[in-house]
Amino acid sequence: MSKSIEFPVLKVLSVSTSVIAIVLVFNLFVQSSPPVNMPIGDDVEMSLFKQNYSIHALPIPDSLNFAGERVPLERTYVRESYDREMLVNTYWQSQTLLLIKRANRYFPVIEPILEAEGVPDDFKYLALIESGFLERAVSPAGAVGVWQFLAGTARDYGLEVNREVDERYHLEKSTVAAARYLKDSYERFGSWTLAAAAYNAGNRGITRQMTRQKADCYYDLLLVEETARYVFRILAIKEILSKPHEFGFHLGEDDLYYPIETYDFEVNGAIADFADFAIEHNTTYKELKDLNPWLRETFLTNSSGRKYTLKLPKQGAFIFGVVE
C-alpha cells in the first residue's frame, strides 16, 4: 500500500481561501442588506404602483340623447346619476368586457328587427342591461330570456309559453315582441325615454307615478332606485360600447364572440328524443339546446301540428376560427 504525500502549503492555501470566502460572503451580506428601519423594497413597490395604477374621474359629455331625446345634463341630479353608472360600468371591467364581447354576437340579430319594427336602435342596449345577453337568464320575479319577459306579458304579445315551448327564450321572436311592447308604451307616453322606464316598472307603474307627481318627463319623476337608475344604465352602456377604447377597453377581432353559423330546419311533427335527433343531424344535444333554448323539454310532442323552425349548426360552427 502506497503512502499518501501531504503538502502543507496546499493546506495553508485551502484554509486561507476558505477564510477569504467567508469574509467576502459576510461583507456582501452586510453591505447588500438594507437597514431594518428603511424598507427600500416596499418603497420601490409603492413607487411602481403609483406610476402604473391610477383611478380617474370620467368626463361628462356636453350633450347626450337617448333614442333622439335630449338628456338634461345641466341638472345636478341627472348629471350625477349618469356619472354613477359610467363609473360603475367602466370600473367593473370584467363584466363590461364580457358585455362588449357578447354584443358582437347579438347586436347583428337585434338591430335589423328593431329597425323593421320602427324602434330606435338605442333599445338594443336595453336588452343588454336586462340580461347581459344570457339567453337562459331568469329573474327572481320569473322574467326570462334576453328581453326578460314575464309569462303573461309574453302571451299578450304572441309568444308561446308552455312546458315544452317557451318563446321568451327565442331571440328573434322575443325581440319582435319587445319591440311591439315598446311601441305601445311610446304610443301611451309619447316618449321613448318613458317607454324604456316602463319596460322596467310597467306601463301602469309609470302612469301611476306621473299622475301622483303631476309630471310627464322621466327626469322629473322620483322613482324606486332600480327604475331611477334604469335609463342611466342604458346611457352608460351605450357610451362605453360606442367607443370602448376611450374607456380603457382594448379588444382585438379574435377577442369578440361571433354569431354561430346555422341553418334552419323546419319541424311540423313530434320529436321523440332530442338527443337522438341531434345525433341524426351531426350535432350534440348541448349544441342543439344552446341554439334553441326555447325548446324546454327533452322531446317535442307538438300535438297541434305547429310548424317550428329549429337552428342547426353548420359544419365547424362551434370550432373557433372556422367560418362556413
Side-chain angles (χ1 to χ4, degrees):
M1 181 177 224
S2 61
K3 187 178 179 181
S4 60
I5 302 174
E6 296 184 0
F7 295 93
V9 176
L10 289 178
K11 279 189 175 182
V12 171
L13 287 174
S14 177
V15 171
S16 300
T17 303
S18 299
V19 171
I20 292 169
I22 291 169
V23 171
L24 286 174
V25 170
F26 177 78
N27 286 338
L28 179 63
F29 177 80
V30 170
Q31 291 177 17
S32 64
S33 298
V36 175
N37 62 345
M38 292 185 65
I40 292 174
D42 289 348
D43 287 348
V44 170
E45 287 182 6
M46 181 55 69
S47 176
L48 289 171
F49 175 78
K50 289 178 179 178
Q51 289 176 38
N52 294 287
Y53 185 79
S54 58
I55 302 295
H56 298 271
L58 300 174
I60 305 295
D62 294 330
S63 63
L64 206 61
N65 78 84
F66 173 73
E69 298 174 0
R70 179 178 174 274
V71 179
L73 286 170
E74 68 277 3
R75 302 186 195 179
T76 55
Y77 47 87
V78 171
R79 191 179 188 86
E80 290 167 13
S81 294
Y82 174 71
D83 190 36
R84 175 186 183 179
E85 302 308 323
M86 284 298 298
L87 289 169
V88 168
N89 288 282
T90 298
Y91 289 111
W92 190 7
Q93 295 98 332
S94 58
Q95 173 67 9
T96 302
L97 196 59
L98 280 170
L99 296 184
I100 296 170
K101 288 169 174 272
R102 292 179 192 145
N104 194 67
R105 173 172 292 165
Y106 290 93
F107 278 174
V109 178
I110 291 172
E111 288 167 345
I113 296 174
L114 294 179
E115 183 179 12
E117 291 292 328
V119 172
D121 187 68
D122 280 356
F123 281 96
K124 66 189 180 189
Y125 301 106
L126 182 151
L128 185 55
I129 70 160
E130 278 285 341
S131 62
F133 283 155
L134 296 173
E135 293 192 57
R136 292 186 176 91
V138 180
S139 79
V144 307
V146 164
W147 289 94
Q148 290 289 279
F149 269 108
L150 292 169
T153 309
R155 292 189 181 99
D156 290 343
Y157 282 86
L159 298 179
E160 184 178 354
V161 180
N162 57 51
R163 179 189 166 193
E164 292 185 19
V165 172
D166 191 338
E167 291 180 333
R168 293 179 293 172
Y169 294 97
H170 193 296
L171 180 59
E172 290 85 353
K173 290 185 177 183
S174 65
T175 301
V176 172
R180 292 175 181 172
Y181 179 93
L182 290 164
K183 284 192 294 185
D184 286 347
S185 297
Y186 177 73
E187 213 172 299
R188 182 171 185 161
F189 299 117
S191 163
W192 287 117
T193 309
L194 283 171
Y199 201 89
N200 177 255
N203 287 330
R204 283 182 293 182
I206 292 297
T207 300
R208 184 166 58 250
Q209 292 304 324
M210 290 171 65
T211 302
R212 176 183 295 167
Q213 300 178 41
K214 298 179 173 59
D216 59 1
C217 173
Y218 170 78
Y219 304 103
D220 291 332
L221 294 171
L222 179 64
L223 301 166
V224 296
E225 184 174 13
E226 184 180 345
T227 310
R229 294 180 64 178
Y230 195 73
V231 170
F232 294 105
R233 287 178 63 202
I234 298 172
L235 289 167
I237 287 296
K238 172 188 173 183
E239 183 76 359
I240 294 167
L241 266 67
S242 297
K243 40 192 174 185
H245 287 188
E246 292 188 17
F247 297 97
F249 296 97
H250 302 281
L251 299 91
E253 290 295 315
D254 287 346
D255 297 319
L256 302 173
Y257 299 161
Y258 284 87
I260 304 299
E261 296 290 323
T262 64
Y263 65 93
D264 291 343
F265 185 89
E266 290 190 352
V267 173
N268 55 16
I271 298 176
D273 187 290
F274 279 127
D276 290 336
F277 176 86
I279 293 169
E280 290 168 9
H281 292 85
N282 301 311
T283 186
T284 66
Y285 180 86
K286 172 180 171 51
E287 291 174 353
L288 175 67
K289 284 303 194 83
D290 280 349
L291 292 173
N292 304 276
W294 52 275
L295 296 170
R296 305 307 297 165
E297 273 290 355
T298 60
F299 54 85
L300 179 68
T301 57
N302 195 13
S303 55
S304 62
R306 290 188 61 175
K307 182 167 73 174
Y308 295 103
T309 302
L310 277 59
K311 293 178 185 175
L312 297 179
K314 291 183 179 179
Q315 185 175 7
F318 284 101
I319 305 300
F320 179 76
V322 176
V323 179
E324 186 71 13

